Amino acid sequence: VIAFNQASQGTSPARMAEYQTAFLDILKKDPDIEALVSLASFSNTHEGISFLKLKPQHQRKSSFALIQG
């Protein structure tokens, strides 16, 4: 899975790194994510990108179960 993040124009690379870290902290709590890599200030200072490797489908909760809560 590829996740793309974008902040306001003019966001500094340091601030974008903070946003990206906060985003990763949320993702790390998801037990269905096996691994992830993230880059802040990817193509512009206000953009970030993350690559997520999900666990095999038979080891994940179904999307429907997650939506149902």
mmCIF file of all heavy atoms in Angstrom, residues 18-54:
data_model
loop_
_atom_site.group_PDB
_atom_site.id
_atom_site.type_symbol
_atom_site.label_atom_id
_atom_site.label_comp_id
_atom_site.label_asym_id
_atom_site.label_seq_id
_atom_site.Cartn_x
_atom_site.Cartn_y
_atom_site.Cartn_z
ATOM 1 N N GLU A 18 7.636 16.087 11.301
ATOM 2 C CA GLU A 18 6.787 15.919 12.490
ATOM 3 C C GLU A 18 5.430 15.327 12.111
ATOM 4 O O GLU A 18 4.931 14.428 12.781
ATOM 5 C CB GLU A 18 6.586 17.262 13.193
ATOM 6 C CG GLU A 18 7.828 17.805 13.857
ATOM 7 C CD GLU A 18 7.616 19.200 14.419
ATOM 8 O OE1 GLU A 18 6.459 19.688 14.474
ATOM 9 O OE2 GLU A 18 8.619 19.828 14.801
ATOM 10 N N TYR A 19 4.833 15.847 11.043
ATOM 11 C CA TYR A 19 3.546 15.307 10.579
ATOM 12 C C TYR A 19 3.682 13.837 10.182
ATOM 13 O O TYR A 19 2.841 13.014 10.512
ATOM 14 C CB TYR A 19 3.023 16.100 9.377
ATOM 15 C CG TYR A 19 2.596 17.509 9.661
ATOM 16 C CD1 TYR A 19 2.729 18.495 8.693
ATOM 17 C CD2 TYR A 19 2.039 17.877 10.875
ATOM 18 C CE1 TYR A 19 2.319 19.796 8.927
ATOM 19 C CE2 TYR A 19 1.625 19.173 11.121
ATOM 20 C CZ TYR A 19 1.770 20.134 10.139
ATOM 21 O OH TYR A 19 1.368 21.416 10.381
ATOM 22 N N GLN A 20 4.759 13.550 9.468
ATOM 23 C CA GLN A 20 4.976 12.180 9.003
ATOM 24 C C GLN A 20 5.187 11.238 10.185
ATOM 25 O O GLN A 20 4.684 10.122 10.194
ATOM 26 C CB GLN A 20 6.185 12.152 8.056
ATOM 27 C CG GLN A 20 6.232 10.979 7.142
ATOM 28 C CD GLN A 20 5.204 11.042 6.018
ATOM 29 O OE1 GLN A 20 4.477 12.023 5.845
ATOM 30 N NE2 GLN A 20 5.113 9.989 5.260
ATOM 31 N N THR A 21 5.894 11.688 11.204
ATOM 32 C CA THR A 21 6.108 10.877 12.411
ATOM 33 C C THR A 21 4.786 10.612 13.113
ATOM 34 O O THR A 21 4.522 9.486 13.558
ATOM 35 C CB THR A 21 7.097 11.576 13.360
ATOM 36 O OG1 THR A 21 8.356 11.708 12.687
ATOM 37 C CG2 THR A 21 7.310 10.780 14.633
ATOM 38 N N ALA A 22 3.939 11.616 13.219
ATOM 39 C CA ALA A 22 2.628 11.439 13.848
ATOM 40 C C ALA A 22 1.788 10.433 13.053
ATOM 41 O O ALA A 22 1.104 9.574 13.638
ATOM 42 C CB ALA A 22 1.899 12.774 13.947
ATOM 43 N N PHE A 23 1.839 10.514 11.734
ATOM 44 C CA PHE A 23 1.132 9.572 10.878
ATOM 45 C C PHE A 23 1.647 8.153 11.101
ATOM 46 O O PHE A 23 0.876 7.205 11.248
ATOM 47 C CB PHE A 23 1.307 10.011 9.417
ATOM 48 C CG PHE A 23 0.659 9.109 8.412
ATOM 49 C CD1 PHE A 23 -0.711 8.930 8.383
ATOM 50 C CD2 PHE A 23 1.426 8.453 7.461
ATOM 51 C CE1 PHE A 23 -1.307 8.109 7.434
ATOM 52 C CE2 PHE A 23 0.836 7.631 6.518
ATOM 53 C CZ PHE A 23 -0.527 7.462 6.500
ATOM 54 N N LEU A 24 2.960 8.003 11.170
ATOM 55 C CA LEU A 24 3.550 6.679 11.393
ATOM 56 C C LEU A 24 3.183 6.110 12.755
ATOM 57 O O LEU A 24 2.976 4.901 12.891
ATOM 58 C CB LEU A 24 5.072 6.749 11.255
ATOM 59 C CG LEU A 24 5.584 6.983 9.843
ATOM 60 C CD1 LEU A 24 7.098 7.086 9.842
ATOM 61 C CD2 LEU A 24 5.128 5.892 8.905
ATOM 62 N N ASP A 25 3.110 6.962 13.757
ATOM 63 C CA ASP A 25 2.716 6.498 15.091
ATOM 64 C C ASP A 25 1.326 5.867 15.057
ATOM 65 O O ASP A 25 1.069 4.868 15.734
ATOM 66 C CB ASP A 25 2.750 7.647 16.101
ATOM 67 C CG ASP A 25 4.169 8.089 16.439
ATOM 68 O OD1 ASP A 25 5.122 7.334 16.165
ATOM 69 O OD2 ASP A 25 4.316 9.203 16.976
ATOM 70 N N ILE A 26 0.435 6.433 14.250
ATOM 71 C CA ILE A 26 -0.906 5.854 14.095
ATOM 72 C C ILE A 26 -0.817 4.519 13.360
ATOM 73 O O ILE A 26 -1.415 3.531 13.770
ATOM 74 C CB ILE A 26 -1.835 6.843 13.342
ATOM 75 C CG1 ILE A 26 -2.077 8.082 14.198
ATOM 76 C CG2 ILE A 26 -3.150 6.162 12.957
ATOM 77 C CD1 ILE A 26 -2.720 9.230 13.450
ATOM 78 N N LEU A 27 -0.065 4.496 12.266
ATOM 79 C CA LEU A 27 0.051 3.267 11.474
ATOM 80 C C LEU A 27 0.680 2.115 12.266
ATOM 81 O O LEU A 27 0.283 0.960 12.097
ATOM 82 C CB LEU A 27 0.878 3.521 10.217
ATOM 83 C CG LEU A 27 0.267 4.439 9.170
ATOM 84 C CD1 LEU A 27 1.240 4.650 8.025
ATOM 85 C CD2 LEU A 27 -1.045 3.881 8.661
ATOM 86 N N LYS A 28 1.639 2.425 13.113
ATOM 87 C CA LYS A 28 2.327 1.385 13.885
ATOM 88 C C LYS A 28 1.396 0.657 14.846
ATOM 89 O O LYS A 28 1.686 -0.453 15.269
ATOM 90 C CB LYS A 28 3.494 1.993 14.667
ATOM 91 C CG LYS A 28 4.657 2.386 13.792
ATOM 92 C CD LYS A 28 5.744 3.064 14.614
ATOM 93 C CE LYS A 28 6.868 3.555 13.743
ATOM 94 N NZ LYS A 28 7.890 4.280 14.510
ATOM 95 N N LYS A 29 0.266 1.260 15.162
ATOM 96 C CA LYS A 29 -0.707 0.630 16.057
ATOM 97 C C LYS A 29 -1.585 -0.387 15.333
ATOM 98 O O LYS A 29 -2.304 -1.146 15.972
ATOM 99 C CB LYS A 29 -1.584 1.697 16.711
ATOM 100 C CG LYS A 29 -0.822 2.609 17.638
ATOM 101 C CD LYS A 29 -1.708 3.696 18.189
ATOM 102 C CE LYS A 29 -0.902 4.658 19.051
ATOM 103 N NZ LYS A 29 -1.711 5.791 19.491
ATOM 104 N N ASP A 30 -1.542 -0.383 14.008
ATOM 105 C CA ASP A 30 -2.377 -1.295 13.220
ATOM 106 C C ASP A 30 -1.710 -2.670 13.169
ATOM 107 O O ASP A 30 -0.642 -2.820 12.578
ATOM 108 C CB ASP A 30 -2.573 -0.753 11.808
ATOM 109 C CG ASP A 30 -3.570 -1.548 10.998
ATOM 110 O OD1 ASP A 30 -3.695 -2.771 11.217
ATOM 111 O OD2 ASP A 30 -4.232 -0.942 10.147
ATOM 112 N N PRO A 31 -2.322 -3.684 13.764
ATOM 113 C CA PRO A 31 -1.707 -5.008 13.800
ATOM 114 C C PRO A 31 -1.656 -5.690 12.435
ATOM 115 O O PRO A 31 -0.955 -6.688 12.274
ATOM 116 C CB PRO A 31 -2.598 -5.785 14.767
ATOM 117 C CG PRO A 31 -3.922 -5.102 14.687
ATOM 118 C CD PRO A 31 -3.618 -3.654 14.441
ATOM 119 N N ASP A 32 -2.349 -5.156 11.443
ATOM 120 C CA ASP A 32 -2.347 -5.767 10.116
ATOM 121 C C ASP A 32 -1.204 -5.278 9.236
ATOM 122 O O ASP A 32 -0.997 -5.788 8.143
ATOM 123 C CB ASP A 32 -3.683 -5.511 9.414
ATOM 124 C CG ASP A 32 -4.821 -6.253 10.088
ATOM 125 O OD1 ASP A 32 -4.567 -7.275 10.753
ATOM 126 O OD2 ASP A 32 -5.971 -5.800 9.949
ATOM 127 N N ILE A 33 -0.452 -4.297 9.713
ATOM 128 C CA ILE A 33 0.697 -3.799 8.963
ATOM 129 C C ILE A 33 1.941 -4.539 9.447
ATOM 130 O O ILE A 33 2.273 -4.528 10.628
ATOM 131 C CB ILE A 33 0.872 -2.280 9.137
ATOM 132 C CG1 ILE A 33 -0.343 -1.561 8.544
ATOM 133 C CG2 ILE A 33 2.162 -1.805 8.473
ATOM 134 C CD1 ILE A 33 -0.352 -0.066 8.755
ATOM 135 N N GLU A 34 2.619 -5.186 8.524
ATOM 136 C CA GLU A 34 3.816 -5.968 8.853
ATOM 137 C C GLU A 34 5.071 -5.101 8.886
ATOM 138 O O GLU A 34 5.937 -5.281 9.738
ATOM 139 C CB GLU A 34 3.982 -7.087 7.826
ATOM 140 C CG GLU A 34 5.101 -8.050 8.148
ATOM 141 C CD GLU A 34 5.089 -9.237 7.210
ATOM 142 O OE1 GLU A 34 4.035 -9.884 7.083
ATOM 143 O OE2 GLU A 34 6.138 -9.503 6.605
ATOM 144 N N ALA A 35 5.174 -4.169 7.941
ATOM 145 C CA ALA A 35 6.361 -3.309 7.871
ATOM 146 C C ALA A 35 5.981 -2.015 7.167
ATOM 147 O O ALA A 35 4.993 -1.959 6.430
ATOM 148 C CB ALA A 35 7.468 -4.012 7.103
ATOM 149 N N LEU A 36 6.777 -0.958 7.407
ATOM 150 C CA LEU A 36 6.533 0.300 6.719
ATOM 151 C C LEU A 36 7.805 1.113 6.596
ATOM 152 O O LEU A 36 8.723 0.981 7.395
ATOM 153 C CB LEU A 36 5.433 1.107 7.403
ATOM 154 C CG LEU A 36 5.567 1.425 8.888
ATOM 155 C CD1 LEU A 36 6.121 2.823 9.083
ATOM 156 C CD2 LEU A 36 4.207 1.336 9.528
ATOM 157 N N VAL A 37 7.817 1.931 5.556
ATOM 158 C CA VAL A 37 8.917 2.857 5.289
ATOM 159 C C VAL A 37 8.275 4.183 4.923
ATOM 160 O O VAL A 37 7.266 4.216 4.214
ATOM 161 C CB VAL A 37 9.798 2.369 4.116
ATOM 162 C CG1 VAL A 37 10.847 3.393 3.751
ATOM 163 C CG2 VAL A 37 10.443 1.041 4.439
ATOM 164 N N SER A 38 8.855 5.267 5.397
ATOM 165 C CA SER A 38 8.260 6.570 5.158
ATOM 166 C C SER A 38 9.330 7.602 4.817
ATOM 167 O O SER A 38 10.435 7.565 5.361
ATOM 168 C CB SER A 38 7.499 7.008 6.407
ATOM 169 O OG SER A 38 6.932 8.273 6.207
ATOM 170 N N LEU A 39 8.981 8.505 3.916
ATOM 171 C CA LEU A 39 9.865 9.606 3.533
ATOM 172 C C LEU A 39 9.114 10.916 3.675
ATOM 173 O O LEU A 39 8.041 11.084 3.098
ATOM 174 C CB LEU A 39 10.319 9.454 2.080
ATOM 175 C CG LEU A 39 11.028 8.153 1.708
ATOM 176 C CD1 LEU A 39 11.136 8.037 0.208
ATOM 177 C CD2 LEU A 39 12.378 8.096 2.361
ATOM 178 N N ALA A 40 9.659 11.848 4.436
ATOM 179 C CA ALA A 40 9.077 13.188 4.553
ATOM 180 C C ALA A 40 9.759 14.092 3.532
ATOM 181 O O ALA A 40 10.907 13.855 3.152
ATOM 182 C CB ALA A 40 9.279 13.734 5.960
ATOM 183 N N SER A 41 9.055 15.127 3.102
ATOM 184 C CA SER A 41 9.569 16.063 2.097
ATOM 185 C C SER A 41 10.004 15.297 0.854
ATOM 186 O O SER A 41 11.075 15.496 0.307
ATOM 187 C CB SER A 41 10.714 16.906 2.659
ATOM 188 O OG SER A 41 10.270 17.639 3.771
ATOM 189 N N PHE A 42 9.130 14.423 0.408
ATOM 190 C CA PHE A 42 9.404 13.479 -0.673
ATOM 191 C C PHE A 42 9.745 14.168 -1.991
ATOM 192 O O PHE A 42 10.871 14.115 -2.453
ATOM 193 C CB PHE A 42 8.213 12.524 -0.807
ATOM 194 C CG PHE A 42 8.199 11.695 -2.048
ATOM 195 C CD1 PHE A 42 9.237 10.828 -2.323
ATOM 196 C CD2 PHE A 42 7.163 11.784 -2.938
ATOM 197 C CE1 PHE A 42 9.234 10.056 -3.461
ATOM 198 C CE2 PHE A 42 7.141 11.014 -4.076
ATOM 199 C CZ PHE A 42 8.179 10.148 -4.346
ATOM 200 N N SER A 43 8.788 14.803 -2.618
ATOM 201 C CA SER A 43 9.068 15.486 -3.887
ATOM 202 C C SER A 43 9.020 17.003 -3.712
ATOM 203 O O SER A 43 9.562 17.731 -4.517
ATOM 204 C CB SER A 43 8.088 15.039 -4.969
ATOM 205 O OG SER A 43 6.762 15.339 -4.599
ATOM 206 N N ASN A 44 8.361 17.449 -2.665
ATOM 207 C CA ASN A 44 8.310 18.854 -2.263
ATOM 208 C C ASN A 44 8.440 18.880 -0.745
ATOM 209 O O ASN A 44 8.202 17.876 -0.083
ATOM 210 C CB ASN A 44 6.978 19.504 -2.671
ATOM 211 C CG ASN A 44 6.864 19.699 -4.163
ATOM 212 O OD1 ASN A 44 7.700 20.354 -4.767
ATOM 213 N ND2 ASN A 44 5.838 19.117 -4.760
ATOM 214 N N THR A 45 8.768 20.033 -0.204
ATOM 215 C CA THR A 45 8.964 20.104 1.246
ATOM 216 C C THR A 45 7.699 19.813 2.020
ATOM 217 O O THR A 45 7.747 19.455 3.187
ATOM 218 C CB THR A 45 9.506 21.482 1.668
ATOM 219 O OG1 THR A 45 8.579 22.490 1.268
ATOM 220 C CG2 THR A 45 10.870 21.735 1.067
ATOM 221 N N HIS A 46 6.535 19.953 1.387
ATOM 222 C CA HIS A 46 5.259 19.765 2.086
ATOM 223 C C HIS A 46 4.588 18.429 1.759
ATOM 224 O O HIS A 46 3.401 18.260 1.978
ATOM 225 C CB HIS A 46 4.317 20.938 1.790
ATOM 226 C CG HIS A 46 3.841 21.005 0.365
ATOM 227 N ND1 HIS A 46 4.646 21.419 -0.659
ATOM 228 C CD2 HIS A 46 2.658 20.693 -0.180
ATOM 229 C CE1 HIS A 46 3.967 21.361 -1.786
ATOM 230 N NE2 HIS A 46 2.746 20.918 -1.519
ATOM 231 N N GLU A 47 5.348 17.475 1.247
ATOM 232 C CA GLU A 47 4.779 16.176 0.887
ATOM 233 C C GLU A 47 5.556 15.030 1.532
ATOM 234 O O GLU A 47 6.741 15.143 1.799
ATOM 235 C CB GLU A 47 4.783 15.991 -0.635
ATOM 236 C CG GLU A 47 3.895 16.968 -1.343
ATOM 237 C CD GLU A 47 3.948 16.841 -2.847
ATOM 238 O OE1 GLU A 47 4.798 16.107 -3.374
ATOM 239 O OE2 GLU A 47 3.129 17.491 -3.494
ATOM 240 N N GLY A 48 4.857 13.957 1.776
ATOM 241 C CA GLY A 48 5.471 12.753 2.315
ATOM 242 C C GLY A 48 4.859 11.533 1.664
ATOM 243 O O GLY A 48 3.756 11.588 1.110
ATOM 244 N N ILE A 49 5.571 10.428 1.727
ATOM 245 C CA ILE A 49 5.070 9.183 1.145
ATOM 246 C C ILE A 49 5.455 8.030 2.068
ATOM 247 O O ILE A 49 6.515 8.053 2.695
ATOM 248 C CB ILE A 49 5.611 8.975 -0.282
ATOM 249 C CG1 ILE A 49 4.880 7.839 -0.993
ATOM 250 C CG2 ILE A 49 7.112 8.774 -0.288
ATOM 251 C CD1 ILE A 49 5.112 7.790 -2.477
ATOM 252 N N SER A 50 4.565 7.071 2.184
ATOM 253 C CA SER A 50 4.811 5.890 3.024
ATOM 254 C C SER A 50 4.473 4.642 2.217
ATOM 255 O O SER A 50 3.521 4.625 1.445
ATOM 256 C CB SER A 50 3.944 5.923 4.282
ATOM 257 O OG SER A 50 4.216 7.063 5.050
ATOM 258 N N PHE A 51 5.265 3.615 2.410
ATOM 259 C CA PHE A 51 5.044 2.320 1.784
ATOM 260 C C PHE A 51 4.749 1.324 2.901
ATOM 261 O O PHE A 51 5.543 1.183 3.832
ATOM 262 C CB PHE A 51 6.279 1.883 0.996
ATOM 263 C CG PHE A 51 6.648 2.856 -0.091
ATOM 264 C CD1 PHE A 51 7.537 3.887 0.161
ATOM 265 C CD2 PHE A 51 6.092 2.744 -1.356
ATOM 266 C CE1 PHE A 51 7.879 4.793 -0.833
ATOM 267 C CE2 PHE A 51 6.425 3.645 -2.356
ATOM 268 C CZ PHE A 51 7.319 4.676 -2.099
ATOM 269 N N LEU A 52 3.604 0.666 2.807
ATOM 270 C CA LEU A 52 3.176 -0.262 3.851
ATOM 271 C C LEU A 52 3.134 -1.676 3.296
ATOM 272 O O LEU A 52 2.607 -1.908 2.208
ATOM 273 C CB LEU A 52 1.775 0.101 4.347
ATOM 274 C CG LEU A 52 1.480 1.580 4.602
ATOM 275 C CD1 LEU A 52 0.016 1.772 4.911
ATOM 276 C CD2 LEU A 52 2.348 2.098 5.704
ATOM 277 N N LYS A 53 3.653 -2.610 4.057
ATOM 278 C CA LYS A 53 3.527 -4.022 3.712
ATOM 279 C C LYS A 53 2.529 -4.629 4.690
ATOM 280 O O LYS A 53 2.758 -4.626 5.903
ATOM 281 C CB LYS A 53 4.867 -4.741 3.834
ATOM 282 C CG LYS A 53 4.750 -6.213 3.488
ATOM 283 C CD LYS A 53 6.068 -6.931 3.628
ATOM 284 C CE LYS A 53 5.878 -8.403 3.314
ATOM 285 N NZ LYS A 53 7.094 -9.169 3.577
ATOM 286 N N LEU A 54 1.430 -5.110 4.153
ATOM 287 C CA LEU A 54 0.412 -5.724 4.996
ATOM 288 C C LEU A 54 0.746 -7.189 5.251
ATOM 289 O O LEU A 54 1.434 -7.830 4.458
ATOM 290 C CB LEU A 54 -0.953 -5.636 4.319
ATOM 291 C CG LEU A 54 -1.465 -4.237 4.005
ATOM 292 C CD1 LEU A 54 -2.805 -4.323 3.289
ATOM 293 C CD2 LEU A 54 -1.577 -3.400 5.256
#
